[in-house]
Amino acid sequence: MGAEQASYAAQADEWLVERCLAAVDEAAFAELVRRYRSLVFRLAVSILGQEFVPEAEDVAQDVMVRMHGALASFRGEAKFGSWIYRIAFNHALNVKARVRYRAPHVSDDLLATRASADRGPEEQLQHDRRTRAVHDCIAELPEVYQSALRLHYWLGTSVSDIAAMLDAPENTVKSYLHRARQLLHAMLAQRGFDAR
């Protein structure tokens, strides 16, 4: 990392935004992208689901482009991270509405691991049915619960990071996770699956 790049990495988001607006500073914008692109991608995956990773990558790219064009509208009333996550959240919801009825992308690696030598056909069928039921139940949860669950359990995101992404207090995120688990267990039980 060069000296200039290191000095930008040490600056606050608001300083970087000011540099982008006042001097059209490409290094400042690059630092904002470096800080937020992977987090925006993770948020997009949490909304779209892991089977739509290519669409989540598109969302992350689109949000970075939108961020560049919308920096002038950032008024500093909220943290910059909250502002960018709100843009990402809304854009991912729009994309989700469009891709809802398309078949998800399935990688060759996933296909190669689908058939397991450890399970017989009946056990595999039951496992697949339960997995499908879990995905269907999650899709019925409110969007904020879906995001919290996917971020925490699928992507390993900490509660504090989820709180920043969703612009909510940590206790609220814990409440989202708790309530989502309760609803998920009840929904699975209604479908005849053990909620463990």
Side-chain angles (χ1 to χ4, degrees):
M1 181 180 285
E4 181 184 27
Q5 194 176 9
S7 71
Y8 279 87
Q11 298 298 328
D13 290 344
E14 291 71 21
W15 183 87
L16 294 169
V17 170
E18 287 178 25
R19 291 287 304 160
C20 289
L21 294 173
V24 191
D25 189 334
E26 290 182 26
F29 182 72
E31 176 59 23
L32 289 171
V33 169
R34 187 195 66 73
R35 287 182 188 179
Y36 289 100
R37 190 180 190 300
S38 67
L39 296 171
V40 166
F41 168 75
R42 291 173 71 178
L43 180 60
V45 169
S46 80
I47 292 168
L48 297 172
Q50 288 182 314
E51 62 272 18
F52 290 102
V53 168
E55 286 81 0
E57 290 171 353
D58 291 344
V59 166
Q61 183 67 33
D62 290 347
V63 167
M64 294 302 106
V65 170
R66 287 177 183 208
M67 175 180 70
H68 188 269
L71 278 175
S73 71
F74 176 66
R75 296 184 300 268
E77 295 169 356
K79 291 180 181 177
F80 180 77
S82 299
W83 179 77
I84 194 69
Y85 293 140
R86 181 54 45 201
I87 292 171
F89 190 85
N90 290 335
H91 186 51
L93 286 179
N94 290 337
V95 170
K96 183 177 183 177
R98 290 194 306 264
V99 301
R100 179 176 309 172
Y101 301 106
R102 284 200 344 235
H105 295 278
V106 180
S107 71
D108 290 339
D109 293 336
L110 180 61
L111 289 175
T113 62
R114 274 310 270 173
S116 172
D118 298 339
R119 291 190 180 112
E122 187 174 329
E123 188 179 342
Q124 183 65 40
L125 178 63
Q126 186 61 18
H127 172 77
D128 290 347
R129 285 182 178 162
R130 187 176 196 296
T131 299
R132 182 77 254 152
V134 168
H135 287 287
D136 290 346
C137 290
I138 289 173
E140 293 176 22
L141 294 173
E143 289 291 343
V144 72
Y145 290 179
Q146 290 181 43
S147 290
L149 279 175
R150 289 176 178 143
L151 283 166
H152 190 65
Y153 293 107
W154 290 352
L155 299 173
T157 308
S158 71
V159 170
S160 60
D161 287 345
I162 295 170
M165 288 180 186
L166 299 180
D167 193 24
E170 285 186 35
N171 284 338
T172 301
V173 171
K174 289 176 185 177
S175 175
Y176 290 162
L177 290 168
H178 178 73
R179 184 69 182 131
R181 284 190 306 265
Q182 284 182 324
L183 290 170
L184 192 56
H185 286 273
M187 293 162 78
L188 285 170
Q190 286 178 343
R191 287 177 163 91
F193 291 97
D194 182 7
R196 63 181 157 80

